[in-house]
Amino acid sequence: MLGILGGDDRCPIARSLDVLGEKWTIMIVRDALAGVTRFGDFQSSLGIPRDVLAARLGSLVEGGVLERRDYKPEGGRRREEYLLTAAGRELSLILLALGNWADRHRPSPRNSRMRFLDSETGATAQAVAIAAGAVIPSERIVTRIEDAAVG
Amino acid sequence: MLGILGGDDRCPIARSLDVLGEKWTIMIVRDALAGVTRFGDFQSSLGIPRDVLAARLGSLVEGGVLERRDYKPEGGRRREEYLLTAAGRELSLILLALGNWADRHRPSPRNSRMRFLDSETGATAQAVAIAAGAVIPSERIVTRIEDAAVG
DNA sequence: TTAGTTGAGTTTGAAAAGCAGATCCAGGTG
DNA sequence: CACCTGGATCTGCTTTTCAAACTCAACTAA
């Protein structure tokens, strides 16, 4: 499942997209962050084809975002559920940035019903860039390729 | 081009993915943020099929991330180039969050050669969540669906 | 013990998207 | 005018997506 985009492994964005870049993957992570753990719950929440869901859950496990764990529902057989790893939980920052961007630039006809909050204070959460401890506007973010000739 | 994921327009993440969620799209934005503007430069940088590139540039224009503008190279015919809009430039925060995540959780064998910097100070930039003016760890970001019964 | 039940995947066949390469096309230049 | 060049489309093939039907294991109920 590595390298779906030509696999430039020097680019961290390409490496993130190796895990997250396929159709449905980020929506599965969104549901997982909202507490969904079971195959059928992902399926009915997203309306995703079952075979695609099985493939995506597999590559998220392989990519270290989810892990499978046994669970036993009362009056049912033992099954597996999908839990976020520490790495997976850190994706909430990416989803926050995606959500903030849509709220600013893709307003919905019926207004957005999803809010991002700080679980401790209840205050609205927002993604920002910082450099040297201070918040900077996103226009000041630049990428530099360290072209240090190898060898 | 709307609603590739079932189109839950109440979810801001789904609305972002309507524009950004298809294969290659975020890589195109990455190149655009690095200064690429021309069809052929995107094509040779990414190795993307030309028909797919034309389709993606079109949906990025339609989605308000890029805009087409005429330009005239010396000694060549008039052509069009693709420039980021203000909304497109704000995507740098999302790419920063993606890049930070990969650097932490998907280290490359040959170490990452891409750095994100503050263009004013040269300091390393990082994406974080803030709430009520203070930085909060990503585990504290929670989503709440405002289920206010309409009507 | 044997027949249902139920949730989690797999299989199947058709539709859509992706792909590499060839082609087209407009408007320059020699 | 013939030719070149960058931008985009067309062609035939492969891969992915999709919806629906099917399998499968382990519970429960009779």
Side-chain angles (χ1 to χ4, degrees):
Chain A
M1 184 48 55
L2 259 91
I4 61 174
L5 294 172
D8 182 354
D9 70 349
R10 288 162 307 169
C11 173
I13 294 161
R15 276 183 280 126
S16 279
L17 294 176
D18 277 346
V19 187
L20 304 171
E22 285 180 299
K23 195 170 177 182
W24 296 111
T25 304
I26 289 184
M27 295 298 278
I28 293 170
V29 172
R30 180 201 67 171
D31 274 17
L33 284 165
V36 174
T37 61
R38 282 143 64 166
F39 189 97
D41 292 340
F42 286 110
Q43 205 280 321
S44 58
S45 161
L46 296 172
I48 177 177
R50 308 173 73 80
D51 58 344
V52 175
L53 177 56
R56 291 298 176 278
L57 290 171
S59 48
L60 283 170
V61 168
E62 197 186 341
V65 172
L66 296 176
E67 61 188 358
R68 265 182 264 260
R69 203 174 56 176
D70 286 350
Y71 80 101
K72 173 78 175 66
E74 63 292 11
R77 58 175 283 201
R78 199 172 42 74
R79 295 199 167 274
E80 290 185 319
E81 63 187 345
Y82 296 88
L83 300 179
L84 286 161
T85 62
R89 283 189 296 275
E90 284 189 35
L91 292 172
S92 57
L93 179 59
I94 293 171
L95 295 233
L96 175 62
L98 282 167
N100 287 166
W101 187 83
D103 281 339
R104 263 198 295 277
H105 300 292
R106 313 253 328 148
S108 170
R110 35 186 179 159
N111 219 1
S112 184
R113 283 200 158 57
M114 195 170 179
R115 292 264 164 274
F116 295 90
L117 305 176
D118 175 1
S119 60
E120 301 235 330
T121 68
T124 300
Q126 207 173 349
V128 298
I130 59 172
V135 173
I136 63 170
S138 55
E139 307 93 57
R140 271 167 55 184
I141 304 168
V142 294
T143 59
R144 173 142 19 260
I145 310 283
E146 310 270 303
D147 227 355
V150 229
Chain B
M1 185 50 55
L2 257 93
I4 61 173
L5 293 172
D8 182 353
D9 70 348
R10 288 162 308 169
C11 173
I13 293 162
R15 276 183 281 127
S16 280
L17 294 177
D18 278 346
V19 187
L20 304 172
E22 285 180 299
K23 198 172 177 182
W24 295 111
T25 305
I26 289 185
M27 295 298 279
I28 292 170
V29 172
R30 181 201 66 172
D31 274 16
L33 284 166
V36 174
T37 61
R38 282 144 61 167
F39 189 96
D41 292 340
F42 286 111
Q43 205 280 320
S44 58
S45 160
L46 295 172
I48 177 176
R50 308 173 75 82
D51 58 346
V52 176
L53 176 57
R56 292 299 177 278
L57 290 171
S59 48
L60 284 170
V61 168
E62 196 186 342
V65 172
L66 297 177
E67 61 188 358
R68 263 182 266 258
R69 204 174 56 176
D70 287 348
Y71 79 102
K72 173 79 174 63
E74 64 294 10
R77 57 174 285 200
R78 199 171 43 71
R79 296 200 166 276
E80 291 186 318
E81 63 187 346
Y82 297 88
L83 299 179
L84 286 162
T85 63
R89 283 189 296 275
E90 285 191 35
L91 291 172
S92 57
L93 180 59
I94 293 170
L95 295 233
L96 175 61
L98 282 168
N100 287 166
W101 187 83
D103 281 339
R104 262 199 295 279
H105 299 292
R106 313 252 331 148
S108 170
R110 34 183 180 160
N111 218 2
S112 184
R113 285 201 159 54
M114 194 169 181
R115 292 265 164 271
F116 296 91
L117 305 176
D118 175 0
S119 61
E120 303 237 327
T121 67
T124 300
Q126 206 173 348
V128 300
I130 58 171
V135 173
I136 63 170
S138 55
E139 307 93 56
R140 270 166 57 181
I141 305 168
V142 295
T143 59
R144 172 142 20 259
I145 310 285
E146 310 269 302
D147 227 355
V150 229

